[in-house]
Amino acid sequence: MRRPFLVLLTSLVVCLAACDSATADGPSGTPAPTPYPTLAGGLSQRPSTPVKITLVSPTNGEVVHGTTLVVKVSITGGEVTTVTTKVGDITPTKGHVHLYLNNQLIYMSYTLTQPVTVRPGLEYSMYAEFVGQDHYPFDPRDVTPTVFFTVAPS
């Protein structure tokens, strides 16, 4: 009779310990920062950025013409730089633009404009993200809202 009780008690303690360690909250009850890989193979935390990125063109619902779309983004509070750094060696106000078309990364750009090839008659989704000089995202991520646009049939 005593052994089943000890097995049950041990199982209960293990379950409670697992539930307690599974929380993503830090000591203050706020979500823990996103870990990212380091050069040493471990995990570290990402800084936040004051930069705000905006997708200027295309706009949501726009109908574009032709096979080349010139995508334009703007940023406030920082700058896009051509300098790439090692993982974690970043300045929160400097970085690169990552451009996503149909949820696929298509450019890691060092400029605020980028020509993109599109096909007539199709609908696309697009968003952009301002990332650190090491090409990893900030925490929280600085991402534009997704826009949907259509390319007019030729």
Side-chain angles (χ1 to χ4, degrees), residues 3-17:
R3 184 166 181 187
F5 175 73
L6 287 176
V7 170
L8 179 63
L9 182 61
T10 303
S11 298
L12 181 62
V13 169
V14 169
C15 287
L16 288 175

Side-chain angles (χ1 to χ4, degrees), residues 1 4 20 24 36 86 96 141:
M1 175 86 169
D20 183 49
Y36 73 100
K86 64 183 181 181
H96 310 301
R141 295 179 86 144

Side-chain angles (χ1 to χ4, degrees), residues 24-83:
D25 292 347
S28 66
T30 58
T34 304
Y36 73 100
T38 65
L39 291 177
L43 294 177
S44 186
Q45 306 302 320
R46 294 299 289 178
S48 62
T49 180
V51 175
K52 295 297 174 218
I53 188 168
T54 303
L55 187 55
V56 176
S57 175
T59 58
N60 199 40
E62 184 176 351
V63 176
V64 298
H65 300 272
T67 58
T68 301
L69 168 69
V70 178
V71 177
K72 296 177 185 174
V73 299
S74 69
I75 62 167
T76 56
E79 64 179 293
V80 174
T81 178
T82 59
V83 176

